[in-house]
Structure formats: C-alpha cells, structure tokens
Amino acid sequence: MEGRQEARVRLPQLRLDELLEELQARLDAARGTRDRVHSLLEAVLSVGRELDLEQALNSIVEAAAALVDARYAALGVIGPDGSRLSAFHTVGVAEEDIARIGPYPEGHGILGELIRHPEPLRLAKISEHPASYGFPPHHPPMNTFLGVPIRVRDQVFGNLYLTEKRGGAQFDDEDVSVTSTLAVAAGVAIDNARLYEESRQRERWLRVNAEITHSLMSDSDPGAALALIAERARDITGSALAAVAMPMEETGPLGVEIAVGTDADAHRGLVLPLDRTLMGLAFSAGAPVSSEDVTHDERITPEPPRFLGLGPAVAIPIGTGDSGVRGVLLLARESGGPLFAADQTEMLRGFAAQAAIALELAERRRSAEEIAVLQDRDRIARDLHDLAIQRLFATGMTLQSAGRFIEHTEASERVLRAVDDLDETIKIIRSTIFGLQAREGGPGAGLRARAVRAAGEAAPVLGFAPSLRMEGLLDTDVPKEIADHAVAVLSEALTNIARHAHAGRAEVVLSTDGRDLLLTVQDDGVGIPPGGRRSGLRNMAERAAELGGGLEWDCPEGGGTTLVWRVPVTTP
C-alpha cells in the first residue's frame, strides 16, 4: 500500500515537472520571438533613418547579419543591364582578405541564380547546388546560405546574401521570414535615399547651371566657362576625368580644348575623329554614348595612351540635334567605379543642354558686339571717304592752282611739296579705310585647321592616321608667315616618316605659349641611319634658322625618331 501511494505521489510530480519544463521552453521561445521581433524593429528603424544611399546599403547588410546571426553578409546591387552585379557591400570579411581575393563578384554561380530567379533561396551546403562552381583563392569557406531579393517599387534592386550561421546551425524558415521582412524595409529605405540623393543632385546641377550662365554672361572668357563646365560635372558625378571637345572649323574632327583630372595633359589638345571615339560618336549622333570600361573599348583610339586606371565613361553632347551640337563633354570614373546610371545620364543631358544655351547666348551677345564694332568701322570709313578725303583733295587742287601764281621759286616748291604731302595723306587714309572695311580670312585659314588638313592628307601615304595634339592660341599668337613655315615642316616630317621610317605610329604636338611655337613629331620607326640623306632635315633647320629658331632630333636606342622644331613667335 505504501509503495502504491509513493508511486501515485511521484507520477503527478513527474507530470508537473514536464509541464513546467514545457512552459519554460514556451516562455523562452516567446521571449526569443519577442527579442527577435524587437531586433527586427530596431533594424528597420536603423535602416530607415539613413538618407545617404551608401550608408543605407551598409546598414542593411549589418542589420541582416545581426538578425540571423550570420558570420558573413553581402548586398549585391544589380547593374543597369539586369544580368550582373555593379556594386558589392560586404560584412565579415577583412579588408586585407578582400584585397587578396581580388575583384568583387559580378553575379555568377549562386549569386547569379538569385539574379535570374529573384526568390528567397536557402541552402544547407552551397557546393551541392548545381549552379555552384567554387570560390576564388583566399576566399573563406562558406557552406550554409540564405539569399533574399530586395525590391524597390516592384523592381529588383539587388540581393541580400547571408552565409555561415554561427554555431554550425542551419538557416530556418524564421530566418527567411525575418530577412524577407528586412528586405521590404530595405527597399523603402533605398527608395527614400535615392529620392533624397536625386533631389540633392538636382539642386547642385541648378546651382552649377546658374554659375555657368553668370560666368558666360559676365564677359568672361568662353574657355574659362568650358573649364568650369568640366570641373563642376566632374565633381558632381564623382568622376576622375572630365574633358570638353569642340568641333574644329570646316575640318570635321573634334579638338579637346579642356581636360581636368587624371592624365589631363594627355587629352588636352588632341584632335579626335568622329567615327572612332566616344566623343566623336556622341557628337555625330547627338546622343550620349557610354562605355563600361574605357581602357578596353574598341571605340577608343589606342594612341596616345590616355585612359590608364579609368573604367566607366560617358560622352554627353553639349546641345541637341534640333539646335545643333556645340561640343561634347566626356566623364570617366576610376576603374571599378559604378557605371553611369540612366538617371545620371539624363541629368547630365539636361546640364549640357543648359550649358549649350548659355554658350549660344554668350556667342550671340559677342556677335552683336562685333557687329556694332564693324558698323562703327564702316561709319568711320564712310566719313573719312566722303568728308576727309574730299576736303583734302579739294585743298590740294586749290594749292596746286595757286602755285601757278607764285613767282618766288622756293615758295612755289614748298606749295608743290605740300600738295604731294596731301596726296600721300590721301593714300594713307584710303589704306586705313580699306583696313577698317577688310574682314579676316575665311574659315579654315588658321594654323589649327591647316595642321589638321596636313595630318589628314598624310594619312593615306602613312597607312595610318597620325595622332595630333594642339595647345595654346595657335590661330591668334602665331603670325601667318610662321604658320606657313610650320605647316610646311609638318608636311615634310610626315612625308619623311612615310618614305623612310617604316613606322606604325606617329604623334604630332603643335603648341605655343605666346613666346615660342613648338612642333614635335615622333614616330616608332627605324630611326635616321648614320649615313642617310639629310636634305629634309636641312630644309627644316633652314626654315627654323630663318625665323630665329632651331631644329633638334633624337633617335633613341629603342627605335623611332623625335623631331623638335622651335621658333619664336614674338620679336625680341
């Protein structure tokens, strides 16, 4: 009897212990759920507070890793083409390890699977999935995986990637649910950050447009305004290089007048064809032309090398097809930088259109001022002809008639000399009238246009187009006589390369600093043989000596020839 009573006492006690343990487990689960919901709410609030897009993306990755207790997390931003990643934000991998691994992934393997099928993906072992093809060297080992897409206004913006749940556990349904909820909040936060960034960008563009318009309308040099356009566009877009090219009068090619940033000197003064460069294609089409990697783009002329270390680029026409394209703005970011998105390109088009309007208004104002000056010259010339010359002529006739009545020989001779002086004065005034009414030479008469023609005419003989770069006020500071000699020397130098050098490349640099004119012609041919003829070089040297300058040449051991022809453009 006692044994039965003890058994009955123990049995309720055991059931009570089990019930208490189950209650404790449920309380722990409820507390864990409460804590997780609390953590999710904190993460949502933390992500929603960010207005800077980059900071928002980093906060999303950090929050996702903390919520599901993942050792590694990443957020991949899908590029404009929708097939690969254009940016990658990571948590858990040290910077030195990232440097050893190499470039960020572009969206192949498991990452690409989530791009192709934007639905939550949970794996117990990454290597067992058919789309997996391994990791690059120095990459940390990863097994468990959870991927969730992030949508912004029903468009997939990117994907959250989480790997290696701590403690060796697997990602469960609750992890998927929590991460998906965070992804929804992340989409809203990203949209807000993008809208905020767009409003800030528009505000900056408006300020820059006002600054450029004020600069052009305040009698400033158009070159300074172009430099301002390039500098401000480079700053706002985070580009490493900005260049502005303008069409050369009646020659077809574009001349790079302004370049700021990385290797700017290699771009400034270049003459670019319209069919084999981004800037030329944008000018011809009147529409933006972009490149994902400007260093490996077939549309970029290889010589001279000038895009080292640069990647994404875009060329924006300054103006529209309706009113005429006035030039081209080129922007290039560092290698590995983000591509120029469609909204950025659209903003750049608006900026370039406003800049073109400002340039046209400034040009119209300058034209009106020039017309006023010419009209004033015509008035002065007319007054000189109709009034001054007629009065002087009448005075001369009167003196000449009066001279016949003067008997004193010396006095008569003085009167005749006065008549001759009046005739000479009339000739001087007529010459002045002609100068006032004369107009400058027609299009294509400047040194720049003539140099472009000389290089173009040499291309069929050379078998390739020589690279041409021009710097300085060549059409303004170089007198016509010196320009004639320079064009002759350039033609002869290129002809010599075609006849004797067996070269595959030639570079021409024509520049002036207002004191000297410098013409440099370089090729990669066989050089000048020691016993070869020197008639061409002698002609160039004689032309330089005639103008008070000189000629130098060099043939380095590696091959090729460099000619330097230098003459002063101002009289000492």
Side-chain angles (χ1 to χ4, degrees):
M1 290 291 293
E2 292 182 5
R4 290 178 183 175
Q5 286 181 341
E6 290 178 3
R8 281 196 293 269
V9 171
R10 283 198 301 273
L11 186 59
Q13 184 68 39
L14 288 173
R15 289 178 179 174
L16 181 60
D17 290 342
E18 290 175 0
L19 289 172
L20 287 173
E21 288 178 1
E22 183 179 353
L23 178 60
Q24 184 64 42
R26 293 193 178 187
L27 286 172
D28 291 341
R31 189 179 297 110
T33 302
R34 182 200 65 188
D35 293 342
R36 197 161 200 186
V37 169
H38 182 70
S39 298
L40 176 60
L41 290 174
E42 285 186 344
V44 169
L45 291 174
S46 174
V47 167
R49 281 194 295 265
E50 295 292 347
L51 287 177
D52 180 81
L53 183 57
E54 292 296 311
Q55 290 293 335
L57 296 179
N58 290 330
S59 296
I60 292 167
V61 179
E62 293 171 357
L67 278 175
V68 299
D69 203 20
R71 180 173 298 175
Y72 307 110
L75 193 158
V77 180
I78 299 176
D81 61 356
S83 62
R84 55 180 175 172
L85 302 177
S86 62
F88 206 70
H89 303 262
T90 62
V91 167
V93 183
E95 291 294 332
E96 55 269 21
D97 293 332
I98 293 175
R100 288 195 304 162
I101 293 171
Y104 282 120
E106 294 185 353
H108 304 293
I110 295 297
L111 306 187
E113 184 70 16
L114 206 59
I115 295 174
R116 292 185 292 272
H117 306 286
E119 298 292 339
L121 176 64
R122 178 159 51 101
L123 301 174
K125 197 172 183 62
I126 294 175
S127 59
E128 294 178 353
H129 193 278
S132 176
Y133 63 86
F135 296 103
H138 310 294
H139 196 285
M142 295 180 180
N143 291 299
T144 55
F145 175 86
L146 173 60
V148 175
I150 297 176
R151 287 180 169 83
V152 177
R153 298 190 181 187
D154 297 328
Q155 296 292 325
V156 179
F157 172 84
N159 297 307
L160 270 174
Y161 306 111
L162 302 152
T163 61
E164 289 301 291
K165 189 175 178 70
R166 298 182 188 275
Q170 297 288 327
F171 292 109
D172 53 25
D173 292 338
E174 190 174 339
D175 292 326
V176 176
S177 178
V178 168
T179 310
S180 298
T181 303
L182 178 64
V184 173
V188 175
I190 291 169
D191 192 28
N192 289 337
R194 288 168 67 178
L195 290 172
Y196 177 72
E197 182 63 24
E198 286 177 9
S199 67
R200 290 184 61 195
Q201 286 279 51
R202 287 194 182 93
E203 183 181 353
R204 294 179 69 185
W205 283 122
L206 288 173
R207 285 202 302 266
V208 169
N209 276 324
E211 183 181 4
I212 291 169
T213 302
H214 179 268
S215 173
L216 285 166
M217 294 295 104
S218 59
D219 291 328
S220 66
D221 178 22
L226 290 176
L228 186 62
I229 290 172
E231 191 64 57
R232 293 296 182 266
R234 172 175 170 261
D235 291 341
I236 294 178
T237 59
S239 300
L241 170 73
V244 177
M246 305 296 283
M248 302 185 67
E249 198 171 23
E250 280 197 358
T251 59
L254 298 174
V256 180
E257 297 190 7
I258 303 295
V260 292
T262 303
D263 285 339
D265 291 339
H267 294 263
R268 199 177 296 116
L270 278 178
V271 177
L272 304 174
L274 298 181
D275 57 343
R276 297 191 306 278
T277 61
L278 290 184
M279 300 182 88
L281 293 171
F283 182 85
S284 300
V289 177
S290 61
S291 172
E292 294 184 2
D293 187 357
V294 75
T295 56
H296 299 94
D297 198 313
E298 295 180 353
R299 297 169 294 180
I300 301 296
T301 54
E303 298 294 339
R306 57 196 184 278
F307 287 108
L308 185 64
L310 299 179
V314 64
I316 305 290
I318 300 176
T320 61
D322 297 333
S323 60
V325 179
R326 307 182 66 84
V328 180
L329 169 66
L330 173 73
L331 296 165
R333 289 171 173 155
E334 293 182 350
S335 180
L339 302 177
F340 287 89
D343 56 343
Q344 290 179 321
T345 302
E346 197 59 34
M347 285 187 183
L348 282 169
R349 290 190 70 174
F351 166 71
Q354 291 293 329
I357 293 173
L359 285 170
E360 184 171 355
L361 288 174
E363 186 177 292
R364 294 285 179 89
R365 191 198 63 201
R366 286 192 297 272
S367 297
E369 292 173 351
E370 289 176 1
I371 290 173
V373 170
L374 293 175
Q375 288 175 342
D376 203 33
R377 286 183 177 184
D378 289 341
R379 181 187 58 79
I380 294 171
R382 186 173 58 251
D383 291 346
L384 285 173
H385 181 271
D386 295 344
L387 301 176
I389 288 183
Q390 300 303 326
R391 292 176 67 90
L392 288 173
F393 185 75
T395 302
M397 293 290 291
T398 301
L399 288 174
Q400 194 173 25
S401 299
R404 293 196 295 268
F405 300 102
I406 300 174
E407 296 180 358
H408 194 283
T409 306
E410 186 175 348
S412 178
E413 289 176 355
R414 287 187 178 182
V415 170
L416 292 176
R417 282 200 301 271
V419 172
D420 292 338
D421 289 342
L422 286 174
D423 287 340
E424 190 63 32
T425 302
I426 291 172
K427 291 179 181 178
I428 293 172
I429 293 175
R430 281 178 172 164
S431 176
T432 303
I433 292 172
F434 179 77
L436 287 171
Q437 293 179 330
R439 302 293 185 262
E440 295 182 1
L447 178 54
R448 283 177 173 267
R450 295 174 66 189
V452 172
R453 280 200 298 271
E457 290 169 357
V461 183
L462 288 167
F464 57 87
S467 168
L468 177 60
R469 187 166 74 243
M470 295 184 283
E471 300 177 5
L473 302 176
L474 295 170
D475 292 340
T476 305
D477 291 347
V478 181
K480 184 178 184 304
E481 179 188 1
I482 297 177
D484 293 341
H485 284 284
V487 172
V489 170
L490 174 59
S491 297
E492 187 161 4
L494 293 176
T495 302
N496 288 342
I497 293 174
R499 289 177 177 174
H500 310 297
H502 304 290
R505 175 178 59 83
E507 296 181 10
V508 178
V509 179
L510 186 62
S511 63
T512 181
D513 57 2
R515 295 185 299 272
D516 294 322
L517 176 65
L518 183 66
L519 172 62
T520 304
V521 183
Q522 186 177 17
D523 67 74
D524 62 350
V526 298
I528 302 175
R533 296 177 59 187
R534 296 288 192 274
S535 58
L537 294 173
R538 185 166 56 252
N539 291 338
M540 298 180 203
E542 288 175 356
R543 287 180 181 273
E546 181 181 338
L547 300 171
L551 172 70
E552 298 177 358
W553 67 84
D554 179 45
C555 299
E557 293 182 0
T561 303
T562 301
L563 296 178
V564 180
W565 190 81
R566 184 194 301 270
V567 296
V569 296
T570 57
T571 55

